[in-house]
Amino acid sequence: MEQGHDFDFSFSALELEAIRTAADAAGLAPDDYVEVLSESLLAASRITDACMEISGGLLEDATYVLDEVTDHVRLGDGPDSLPTLVRSLLARMETAK
């Protein structure tokens, strides 16, 4: 495999064979397959990081609501209540206590 990209991979013979097989099945050249695979793994990592950040924020908000303001917030259904996801998190946190 040529190293025409900014990647510096060294693959074992077994890994090279697996890459060639997967690239052939995908209809791509091995270099293109490695590039696409790398980009998809990077995208998946970024999506995971973003989801973890959102999840952390929701958990912090739910903890705040549970600990600080439960007497001011409607926890039931209705237009003035919390979003379903936050209510679900609160219920799980309450069960875990």
Side-chain angles (χ1 to χ4, degrees):
M1 293 175 61
E2 295 178 19
Q3 295 293 329
H5 304 287
D6 293 334
F7 305 117
D8 186 21
F9 298 120
S10 53
F11 297 107
S12 70
L14 186 60
E15 291 168 328
L16 283 172
E17 184 58 33
I19 289 169
R20 286 186 186 105
T21 300
D24 186 51
L28 297 170
D31 284 345
D32 292 339
Y33 179 81
V34 170
E35 183 175 353
V36 169
L37 179 61
S38 297
E39 289 176 9
S40 67
L41 291 172
L42 179 60
S45 174
R46 288 178 178 161
I47 290 169
T48 299
D49 289 347
C51 289
M52 294 298 292
E53 183 179 336
I54 292 166
S55 173
L58 285 170
L59 285 172
E60 287 175 15
D61 291 348
T63 299
Y64 172 75
V65 168
L66 189 61
D67 294 342
E68 303 292 332
V69 294
T70 52
D71 58 334
H72 306 348
V73 177
R74 289 191 51 206
L75 297 176
D77 292 328
D80 296 329
S81 67
L82 295 170
T84 303
L85 180 57
V86 175
R87 285 187 280 129
S88 174
L89 284 170
L90 288 170
R92 289 179 189 186
M93 292 171 77
E94 202 46 48
T95 301
K97 279 187 174 182

